[in-house]
């Protein structure tokens, strides 16, 4: 263990160091982070760039009494390492290990659990207001990246913060490479003056002496106009207009500058924002050169930067989506792609490269992505809007009000549906089937394999009577030969009999179908398998057949069983007074921590062994 880091077990230990030693500590944190992430992959580049901001915050502020809130959590690795979880960090994102994101159940230093973007300012403002009401005198700090700042929730938080007097500091971690570092005497002078204790005491004294009158209003307008002119080139005018005092920009990777600026700002009351320019991937050359790839690079050689490529057993669903979307765009000039900042992750970067004029990355704005897609559809285009399933929850109202209510033909592709593995509770796509099933005018589908994903996208292209949801899992497909398969249009709401059995019907949706086929093969002729690739509309003719033929049904779905396929089948059986027994396999009523996908599927009997076990339990009742 490095000399300084080995003695850091809490932020109190950081505060024992001299400012001159903090640079070495930052270097050691980066070295340890790279070492751990090379073997146990995570979100690396963002955390490398935020080290000085995290060290500086813990050095200046009295955490955990002072509250430190993160946005998304991709930047929080140094925070975890420095708050008593240094050894546990090596097993982060594994089963029984610590989360890859801040988690209030994990540490008192994690002031707010995060995983989705743009939440930090609103949460921090709430913490600050609670401190004010309870007269606790806490400082509250929110660290938000420039990408998260595009989210609507961030602007709502800023707008509310600007109208309050709460002591909240928003640190804007700006690692956009298109922004040059600001230097020069005027810039340095403005930063020094605006954070000066003397300046702010004099300013407050003059302000209070003016009293509540028209002259005070005149002075306020005059000061704002002069200050806005002075700092406009630095990007602070938008924050000042919202009532939030703007400071910076500063070099966020200069620990001495970060500490000295925060120490001055600590004495300034009210809402304020510190604009910090950082380098994503800072301190590790491969990550600095290619921060997009190194956002989540997988395993790699820390000495050479050579990434250890994963040998996929089949094509990934995101690659099937991306290639199919390009082919559909060739077929139909109405086809366009929309993504809220997930182009490479969802596979839409292929369309962006081939047909950039038909590709829209709207930033981290899921709600806008859906309503924007609704506008495109209303204007005669055919948008394929791809959002990770967990993130689609943010656009629930827009899906109802702006798409379904108007029967607009928006294709909503929910990537990362079901259990996602190492990202854990905040990123599982468990709720989509049950959440969207209640919305009128909506088609809900899930492919059993890559061929079905391709065909469902083709079917959705032909459907123009409302939203068409296609949800599919993270990772590799089932090995189906989708590239050479011909396009096929499915009948909307039609299920398919795969295997006919004698006593038990396995009614499955999505990739669970393949595992049901394997389990039925091992169980003998007792179990039949039915692919319900459409949850809505539900194939009631097929359900009638199943209820008349079999003695029991086992529904299998990679999501919460409350309200999903299990709920739909139970509702139908109850409404038609059928006596068939219905059992459900799926995720039960709780949030699921991080682990490998295979481990999570095993826990909920969503693997072949679990399904076979459920068959054997029912078999005994028929013997």
């Amino acid at each position: 263990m490095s000399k300084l880091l080995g003695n850091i077990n809490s932020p109190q230990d950081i505060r024992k160091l001299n400012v001159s030693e903090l640079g070495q500590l930052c270097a050691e944190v980066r070295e340890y982070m790279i070492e751990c992430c090379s073997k146990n992959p995570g979100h690396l580049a963002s955390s490398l760039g935020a080290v000085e901001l995290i060290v500086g915050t813990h050095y200046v502020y009295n955490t955990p009494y002072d509250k430190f809130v993160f946005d998304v959590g991709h930047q929080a690795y140094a925070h975890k390492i420095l708050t008593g979880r240094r050894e546990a960090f090596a097993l982060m994102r594994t089963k029984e290990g610590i989360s890859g994101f801040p988690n209030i159940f994990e540490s008192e230093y994690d002031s707010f659990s995060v995983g989705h973007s743009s939440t930090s300012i609103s949460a921090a403002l709430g913490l600050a207001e609670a401190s004010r009401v309870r007269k606790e005198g806490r400082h509250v700090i929110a660290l938000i990246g420039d990408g998260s700042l595009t989210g609507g929730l961030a602007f709502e938080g800023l707008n509310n913060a600007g109208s309050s007097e709460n002591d909240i500091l928003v640190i804007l971690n700006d690692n956009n490479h298109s922004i040059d570092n600001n230097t020069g005497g005027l810039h340095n002078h403005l930063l020094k003056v605006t954070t000066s204790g003397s300046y702010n005491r004099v300013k407050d004294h003059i302000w209070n002496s003016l009293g509540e009158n028209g002259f005070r209003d005149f002075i306020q307008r005059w000061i704002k106009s002069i200050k806005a002119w002075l700092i406009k080139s630095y990007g602070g005018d938008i924050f000042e207009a919202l009532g939030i005092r703007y400071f910076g920009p500063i070099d966020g990777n200069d620990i001495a500058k970060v500490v000295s600026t925060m120490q001055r700002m600590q004495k300034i009351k009210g809402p304020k924002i510190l604009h910090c320019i950082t380098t994503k991937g800072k301190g590790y050359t491969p990550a600095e050169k290619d921060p997009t790839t190194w956002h989540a690079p997988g395993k790699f050689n820390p000495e050479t930067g050579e990434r250890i490529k994963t040998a996929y057993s089949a094509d990934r669903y995101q690659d099937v989506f991306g290639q199919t979307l390009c082919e559909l765009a060739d077929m139909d000039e109405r086809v366009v792609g929309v993504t809220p900042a997930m182009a490479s992750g969802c596979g839409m970067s292929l369309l962006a490269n081939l047909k950039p004029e038909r590709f829209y990355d709207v930033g981290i704005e899921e709600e806008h992505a859906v309503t924007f897609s609704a506008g495109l559809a209303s204007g005669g285009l055919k948008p394929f809007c791809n959002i990770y399933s967990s993130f689609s929850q943010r656009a629930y109202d827009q899906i109802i009000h702006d798409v379904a209510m108007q029967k607009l033909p928006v294709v909503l592709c929910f990537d990362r549906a079901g259990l996602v593995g190492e990202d854990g509770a905040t990123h599982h796509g468990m709720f989509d089937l049950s959440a969207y099933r209640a919305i009128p005018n909506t088609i809900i589908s899930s492919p059993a394999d890559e061929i079905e994903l391709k065909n469902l996208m083709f079917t959705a292209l032909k459907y123009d009577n409302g939203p068409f949801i296609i949800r599919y899992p993270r990772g590799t497909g089932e090995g189906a030969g989708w590239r050479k398969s011909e396009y096929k249009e499915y009948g909307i709401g039609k299920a398919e009999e795969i295997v006919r059995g004698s006593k038990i019907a396995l009614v499955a949706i999505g990739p669970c179908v393949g595992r049901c086929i394997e389990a039925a093969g091992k169980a003998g002729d007792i179990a039949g398998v039915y692919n319900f690739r459409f949850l809505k509309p539900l194939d009631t003719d097929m359900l009638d057949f199943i209820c008349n033929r079999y003695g029991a049904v086992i529904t299998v779905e990679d999501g919460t069983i409350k309200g999903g396929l299990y709920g739909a089948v139970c509702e139908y059986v109850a409404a038609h007074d059928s006596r068939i027994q219905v059992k459900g396999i799926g995720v039960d009523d709780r949030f699921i921590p991080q682990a490998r996908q295979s481990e999570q599927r095993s826990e909920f009997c969503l693997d072949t062994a679990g399904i076979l076990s459920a068959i054997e339990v029912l078999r005994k009742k028929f013997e």
Side-chain angles (χ1 to χ4, degrees):
M1 182 63 63
S2 302
K3 183 174 66 173
L4 292 180
L5 184 56
N7 295 320
I8 303 296
N9 297 305
S10 72
Q12 286 82 355
D13 295 324
I14 302 175
R15 296 172 201 133
K16 297 175 184 177
L17 302 177
N18 298 320
V19 174
S20 60
E21 296 176 294
L22 296 182
Q24 180 183 339
L25 176 62
C26 290
E28 292 178 9
V29 168
R30 282 194 174 91
E31 182 180 357
Y32 183 65
M33 195 186 302
I34 292 167
E35 175 189 340
C36 292
C37 289
S38 68
K39 302 169 186 173
N40 182 32
H43 298 101
L44 181 60
S46 298
S47 280
L48 287 173
V51 172
E52 284 81 9
L53 300 180
I54 291 169
V55 171
T57 299
H58 283 303
Y59 187 77
V60 173
Y61 290 91
N62 183 30
T63 56
Y65 189 78
D66 290 337
K67 299 297 184 181
F68 192 7
V69 181
F70 285 81
D71 213 282
V72 182
H74 290 162
Q75 309 171 88
Y77 286 4
H79 167 76
K80 295 217 166 203
I81 293 168
L82 295 168
T83 53
R85 290 168 281 182
R86 184 181 62 244
E87 302 302 327
F89 182 77
L91 295 176
M92 180 185 59
R93 290 165 46 91
T94 62
K95 189 175 183 180
E96 309 299 335
I98 64 173
S99 169
F101 303 95
N103 186 333
I104 61 171
F105 301 111
E106 187 178 290
S107 171
E108 63 177 333
Y109 290 94
D110 293 356
S111 301
F112 200 81
S113 296
V114 294
H116 293 189
S117 79
S118 312
T119 62
S120 61
I121 299 172
S122 296
L125 182 60
L127 286 165
E129 177 64 12
S131 174
R132 186 194 67 79
V133 170
R134 301 179 67 178
K135 297 180 172 58
E136 294 171 329
R138 301 177 192 265
H139 295 282
V140 182
I141 306 95
L143 175 60
I144 185 169
D146 51 345
S148 294
L149 198 64
T150 67
L153 181 58
F155 282 95
E156 292 175 19
L158 285 170
N159 184 59
N160 192 193
S163 64
S164 77
E165 296 181 356
N166 284 297
D167 187 14
I168 175 177
L169 168 63
V170 177
I171 302 173
L172 172 57
N173 179 13
D174 185 348
N175 57 29
N176 190 327
H177 293 274
S178 65
I179 299 176
D180 294 328
N181 289 325
N182 290 277
T183 58
L186 177 60
H187 162 70
N188 292 332
H189 175 72
L190 283 172
L191 177 64
K192 186 177 293 185
V193 169
T194 54
T195 59
S196 164
S198 299
Y199 162 79
N200 282 282
R201 282 193 298 273
V202 171
K203 175 181 177 293
D204 291 342
H205 174 72
I206 294 174
W207 180 253
N208 292 332
S209 68
L210 290 173
E212 299 290 342
N213 51 47
F215 183 64
R216 183 174 182 174
D217 291 338
F218 168 78
I219 293 295
Q220 182 183 47
R221 291 194 298 271
W222 180 75
I223 290 174
K224 283 187 174 182
S225 66
I226 295 298
K227 191 173 183 181
W229 174 76
L230 286 172
I231 68 175
K232 185 174 182 180
S233 62
Y234 300 109
D237 50 334
I238 186 172
F239 302 112
E240 295 281 340
L242 290 171
I244 300 174
R245 298 176 70 176
Y246 169 89
F247 303 92
I250 67 169
D251 182 351
N253 293 131
D254 181 338
I255 186 61
K257 175 70 72 175
V258 168
V259 168
S260 63
T261 304
M262 285 185 179
Q263 285 173 335
R264 293 196 296 271
M265 294 186 70
Q266 189 180 30
K267 302 172 185 177
I268 301 172
K269 300 299 183 181
K272 47 200 171 288
I273 188 163
L274 175 60
H275 185 179
C276 300
I277 307 296
T278 62
T279 299
K280 191 171 183 179
K282 177 71 175 178
Y284 191 55
T285 301
E288 288 187 24
K289 289 182 177 180
D290 187 3
T292 300
T293 297
W294 286 85
H295 174 73
K299 293 183 179 181
F300 60 95
N301 183 325
E303 301 297 329
T304 65
E306 181 183 359
R307 296 173 63 219
I308 301 171
K309 295 182 179 180
T310 302
Y312 296 115
S313 58
D315 289 321
R316 298 175 299 176
Y317 279 103
Q318 66 196 59
D319 298 325
V320 180
F321 167 82
Q323 182 61 50
T324 301
L325 182 61
C326 291
E327 293 176 6
L328 296 182
D330 286 335
M331 295 180 193
D332 192 326
E333 62 182 11
R334 299 177 303 152
V335 171
V336 294
V338 179
T339 177
M342 293 296 175
S344 59
C346 76
M348 204 178 285
S349 54
L350 292 173
L351 181 69
N353 293 331
L354 292 175
K355 300 179 187 294
E357 73 283 0
R358 292 162 71 178
F359 163 76
Y360 304 95
D361 185 341
V362 301
I364 305 177
E365 303 167 355
E366 292 87 1
E367 302 96 315
H368 168 64
V370 170
T371 302
F372 174 63
S373 296
L376 292 172
S378 184
L381 299 181
K382 187 73 177 186
F384 281 71
C385 180
N386 192 304
I387 308 177
Y388 289 5
S389 175
S390 179
F391 302 159
S392 75
Q393 296 159 184
R394 305 184 129 203
Y396 192 71
D397 178 66
Q398 286 71 30
I399 293 171
I400 295 174
H401 186 274
D402 299 334
V403 183
M405 195 176 294
Q406 302 183 85
K407 290 188 175 182
L408 291 173
V410 176
V411 185
L412 295 164
C413 300
F414 295 159
D415 196 344
R416 272 68 167 176
L419 296 164
V420 299
E422 293 83 356
D423 280 340
T426 57
H427 281 57
H428 291 308
M430 299 190 304
F431 306 112
D432 48 10
L433 293 176
S434 57
Y436 299 110
R437 189 168 72 86
I439 303 175
N441 303 331
T442 303
I443 304 297
I444 303 175
S445 66
S446 186
D449 57 28
E450 303 93 313
I451 293 176
E452 288 202 0
L453 173 56
K454 177 178 178 178
N455 290 336
L456 281 171
M457 291 177 68
F458 180 72
T459 303
L461 175 64
K462 304 295 184 180
Y463 184 79
D464 288 322
N465 200 33
F468 195 117
I469 293 174
I470 308 172
R471 50 96 69 181
Y472 51 92
R474 169 180 177 259
T476 57
E478 316 309 306
W482 65 279
R483 293 183 184 273
K484 296 182 179 180
S485 67
E486 298 293 329
Y487 280 101
K488 175 183 177 181
E489 183 177 354
Y490 292 132
I492 301 295
K494 295 300 180 182
E496 180 182 359
E497 182 181 67
I498 307 297
V499 177
R500 181 168 294 190
S502 59
K503 299 294 184 181
I504 302 167
L506 300 175
V507 173
I509 188 169
C512 297
V513 171
R515 294 188 281 276
C516 285
I517 294 171
E518 293 175 358
K522 294 181 179 181
D525 63 0
I526 191 173
V529 180
Y530 296 84
N531 177 6
F532 274 62
R533 64 175 64 92
F534 290 95
L535 176 65
K536 187 173 184 177
L538 196 68
D539 191 338
T540 55
D541 289 339
M542 184 67 80
L543 271 183
D544 285 338
F545 170 78
I546 290 170
C547 290
N548 291 328
R549 176 176 177 80
Y550 294 94
V553 171
I554 301 175
T555 64
V556 188
E557 58 196 304
D558 55 342
T560 178
I561 63 172
K562 287 195 170 185
L565 178 63
Y566 175 71
V569 171
C570 286
E571 290 167 16
Y572 185 81
V573 167
H576 291 77
D577 198 26
S578 174
R579 297 183 179 181
I580 192 169
Q581 184 178 8
V582 183
K583 297 290 185 181
I585 296 178
V587 180
D588 58 26
D589 191 21
R590 59 190 171 98
F591 293 104
I592 314 305
Q594 67 282 347
R596 293 195 301 270
Q597 281 179 300
S598 59
E599 293 172 326
Q600 291 166 342
R601 288 174 186 145
S602 176
E603 180 178 357
F604 295 104
C605 298
L606 284 165
D607 57 0
T608 301
I611 298 168
L612 181 59
S613 177
I615 294 172
E616 294 302 325
V617 170
L618 285 177
R619 183 200 294 270
K620 296 176 183 178
K621 296 185 178 182
F622 294 109
E623 291 178 348

